[in-house]
Amino acid sequence: MTALTADKAAAWMADFAASIAENAELLTDLDRQIGDADHGSNMNRGMKAVCALGSEFPDAPALLKKVGMTLVNSVGGASGPLYGTFFLRLAKELPSSGDATPEVWGKALRAGLQGILDRGKAKVGDKTMVDALTPAVDAYDEAVTGGAEFGQALQAAAAACAEGRDSTVDLVAHKGRASYLGERSKGVQDPGATSVTLLLESAARTLA
Ligand code: ADP
Ligand code: MG
């Protein structure tokens, strides 16, 4: 069992917010090359709003549900509803009791990914955050099936996410604004795949 308290979820969100703030310029610069130069500012605005939510949550799923709604309402752009749906679906799978097994976390992460797929209709290879998050969730499940502890499984997920992020450089975009560029979208790392890797790296630092 892994203790899952509202405080722990809040620590994850605080760490992710700090990481987004640190990398906002990079995210916006990537989006300048294949989009409209706002991914860093979008995510930074959203995570600042999340940090302003305060600490009065009864449990982790309640907090993460509010995170999802806050991101939908404050981020704008394609990424707001996608990140928002990820957190809403994740929260739905997590127990309010205070404990979650690594298997339950795996189900929750998979549900979050499925939310992004349902909403954005992107497939692996379309050069989006899906190219990073899909191998991350697969690696997580594989680690848990192989007997890894929660923390090790999160590390494996973060590493696979980074590999997936790197794989977006050579891809041609088929979803989102970058797809307007066609072949010219090749050669640039996808901004959303970059930010979602920060999310998984934050998870590995804070949740286990
Ligand atoms: P916008 O494109 O509206 O300006 P952002 O710049 O904040 O929004 O986010 C861009 C990122 O959103 C992309 O780098 C990509 O990873 C992700 N994205 C865009 N469309 C989709 C989609 N249909 N499915 C999954 N991810 C997507
Ligand atoms: Mg953009």
Side-chain angles (χ1 to χ4, degrees):
M1 286 290 191
T2 307
L4 174 64
T5 58
D7 280 355
K8 191 163 257 191
W12 179 25
M13 290 301 99
D15 187 275
F16 180 48
S19 182
I20 286 290
E22 247 170 63
N23 289 280
E25 234 174 279
L26 164 72
L27 297 173
T28 285
D29 186 56
L30 293 172
D31 197 32
R32 180 174 294 116
Q33 296 175 65
I34 56 170
D36 58 352
D38 65 359
H39 189 57
S41 49
N42 282 346
M43 293 302 296
N44 213 9
R45 186 171 58 252
M47 290 313 296
K48 285 218 156 78
V50 164
C51 289
L53 288 174
S55 54
E56 298 307 302
F57 291 92
D59 51 55
L63 182 148
L64 293 170
K65 184 178 172 195
K66 187 72 184 173
V67 167
M69 295 190 299
T70 302
L71 292 178
V72 170
N73 291 329
S74 64
V75 171
S79 57
L82 293 168
Y83 267 101
T85 305
F86 173 84
F87 282 107
L88 291 173
R89 297 276 186 100
L90 181 85
K92 232 172 143 183
E93 294 294 329
L94 292 172
S96 54
S97 69
D99 280 320
T101 62
E103 286 79 8
V104 165
W105 267 104
K107 262 187 84 179
L109 290 168
R110 179 74 60 188
L113 167 62
Q114 191 58 49
I116 291 176
L117 297 173
D118 291 347
R119 184 119 202 179
K121 311 266 187 269
K123 298 185 296 291
V124 169
D126 283 347
K127 195 179 179 100
T128 71
M129 57 177 72
V130 168
D131 290 306
L133 197 53
T134 302
V137 176
D138 288 347
Y140 178 93
D141 283 346
E142 211 174 290
V144 170
T145 305
E149 285 172 17
F150 183 48
Q152 295 171 316
L154 286 175
Q155 302 268 4
C161 205
E163 264 183 54
R165 170 201 65 199
D166 293 347
S167 80
T168 64
V169 174
D170 291 329
L171 295 173
V172 173
H174 294 291
K175 280 279 182 287
R177 282 179 195 279
S179 66
Y180 307 160
L181 292 178
E183 285 287 328
R184 282 182 294 135
S185 63
K186 230 173 156 170
V188 179
Q189 184 172 299
D190 178 65
T194 308
S195 61
V196 86
T197 302
L198 300 177
L199 177 67
L200 274 274
E201 288 172 349
S202 272
R205 274 196 296 272
T206 55
L207 287 177

